[in-house]
Amino acid sequence: DGESLDVNPISEVDIDNGEMFIGMLKAAYQLMGDYKCVHWNAKGRDFRELHDSTNEYSLEYQVDTIGEWCVEYIGYAPHPSNLCTTPERFTYSDGYDLDTGFTLLQESIHEFVSTLELYYCNLPHDIQNILDGWIREWNQKADYLMSRTLKV
């Protein structure tokens, strides 16, 4: 069609690997803390279901994996106590029943997934492949499994 575009290519994009990997690690720790809080403070007729369904072992693997990426890409992984900068988000003085616990965890899962998606496009392809599975897994938990339970 004969049209040409005048595009000025950029020479380099400055991406802070530390911010990306530590941001993902913080978000994973926050989600793990939220799961533990609901797990420890479960109550009510559905105590066993809530207590058992909040033993999230895959999250421990994901935190460890992100920590390993920190070391690989930025040279270190921060101490976990330095990652816990978010004030407590849940009030648990009276514990959590199934509906309250799942609703809070759905919000936490969406925040974690949003963080993964925020950094996704700037990550190496092999890490993107891993995150694809994690994002699918967490969205399924929040938007299908927990939602189906809450609709009863």
Side-chain angles (χ1 to χ4, degrees):
D1 91 297
E3 284 187 40
S4 63
L5 300 175
D6 182 20
V7 177
N8 293 323
I10 57 172
S11 58
E12 188 176 314
V13 176
D14 185 25
I15 297 173
D16 183 351
N17 281 339
E19 179 184 326
M20 285 191 311
F21 289 105
I22 292 173
M24 289 190 302
L25 191 57
K26 282 181 179 182
Y29 261 108
Q30 182 67 52
L31 181 58
M32 186 182 327
D34 292 348
Y35 259 86
K36 288 297 184 189
C37 187
V38 171
H39 175 80
W40 292 327
N41 293 286
K43 70 170 190 174
R45 280 180 287 140
D46 298 315
F47 164 82
R48 180 57 52 203
E49 181 180 356
L50 180 59
H51 188 75
D52 291 349
S53 65
T54 53
N55 250 340
E56 195 49 63
Y57 299 109
S58 68
L59 189 53
E60 292 175 26
Y61 166 77
Q62 292 169 3
V63 165
D64 187 61
T65 300
I66 297 169
E68 296 289 342
W69 291 338
C70 286
V71 173
E72 180 180 353
Y73 286 93
I74 62 175
Y76 74 99
H79 190 281
S81 66
N82 294 329
L83 299 170
C84 303
T85 58
T86 304
E88 290 184 30
R89 300 171 341 147
F90 300 168
T91 56
Y92 47 85
S93 60
D94 198 30
Y96 303 109
D97 60 21
L98 184 73
D99 288 354
T100 304
F102 274 6
T103 299
L104 291 170
L105 288 175
Q106 280 181 310
E107 293 170 15
S108 295
I109 289 169
H110 288 136
E111 288 176 22
F112 177 59
V113 168
S114 291
T115 300
L116 298 180
E117 291 173 335
L118 173 67
Y119 299 121
Y120 182 92
C121 64
N122 296 313
L123 294 166
H125 184 67
D126 59 322
I127 292 178
Q128 288 178 344
N129 285 338
I130 294 167
L131 293 186
D132 286 337
W134 293 0
I135 290 168
R136 167 90 171 100
E137 172 191 348
W138 286 110
N139 279 333
Q140 182 184 33
K141 283 180 186 177
D143 300 333
Y144 176 69
L145 300 174
M146 289 181 179
S147 290
R148 298 281 297 175
T149 300
L150 292 171
K151 288 181 181 178
V152 174

